[in-house]
Amino acid sequence: MTVEQVTGAMPAGWYRDHDPSKMRWWDGASWTERVKNSVPSQVRPATGQAVVDDRLRERNRSTVVALIVSGIGAAIVPMVAMTFVPIWPGLGAVLAAGVFALVLAAVAITRPRRIGRGLAPAVIAIVLGVLLIVTALVAAAMVLVSPLLT
């Protein structure tokens, strides 16, 4: 936002500067020299309500779903090992959970990083997705090879 775009009717508060990584204080009449780094959530000066960046919400949603799916897949692994769940459908579910978690986490991690939050959970979801895929493939290989070893 440039000085030319602003009118005196704006309430005092922090507004995005011409440098998108910075916020500048508008005192209600003129721009001040007060500058700070841009933060992911700002407060609307008139209402006091938090403004949440849609990309942050979307990244968090993708990461949370990826973590939940990978947790479900991880819970299926011991059920297959203890034969509570049939082997092939169970391994298929673990593999599908791993792939789905990996795709969701990859989507979450590629969001713009200007907000600086949410990277660690997305990385954890990627690692869990990869571990689920490897676990399902190794278990399937062991099931296929076990009759040949006896």
Side-chain angles (χ1 to χ4, degrees):
M1 182 176 300
T2 64
V3 176
E4 295 79 27
Q5 296 172 320
V6 177
T7 66
M10 289 177 49
W14 290 102
Y15 293 92
R16 192 159 311 281
D17 195 31
H18 65 276
D19 176 358
S21 66
K22 304 285 184 196
M23 302 290 286
R24 184 172 297 274
W25 182 257
W26 171 258
D27 65 7
S30 63
W31 291 108
T32 66
E33 293 302 315
R34 292 174 55 193
V35 177
K36 68 177 186 174
N37 288 332
S38 181
V39 291
S41 68
Q42 301 122 16
V43 175
R44 286 191 181 118
T47 63
Q49 294 175 337
V51 178
V52 179
D53 192 336
D54 287 338
R55 286 176 284 215
L56 174 63
R57 189 178 302 122
E58 190 171 339
R59 177 188 311 194
N60 285 346
R61 192 176 316 129
S62 298
T63 303
V64 167
V65 172
L67 288 170
I68 290 170
V69 168
S70 60
I72 291 169
I76 294 172
V77 172
M79 290 183 204
V80 171
M82 292 185 273
T83 65
F84 294 137
V85 175
I87 290 176
W88 291 112
L91 292 179
V94 171
L95 183 63
V99 170
F100 190 60
L102 190 62
V103 169
L104 283 173
V107 167
I109 207 167
T110 59
R111 299 285 181 219
R113 294 197 176 122
R114 73 175 179 81
I115 55 179
R117 297 175 81 183
L119 186 61
V123 170
I124 292 169
I126 286 176
V127 169
L128 289 174
V130 169
L131 286 174
L132 286 174
I133 292 169
V134 169
T135 300
L137 294 176
V138 167
M142 289 173 56
V143 168
L144 291 173
V145 171
S146 64
L148 301 174
L149 299 177
T150 57

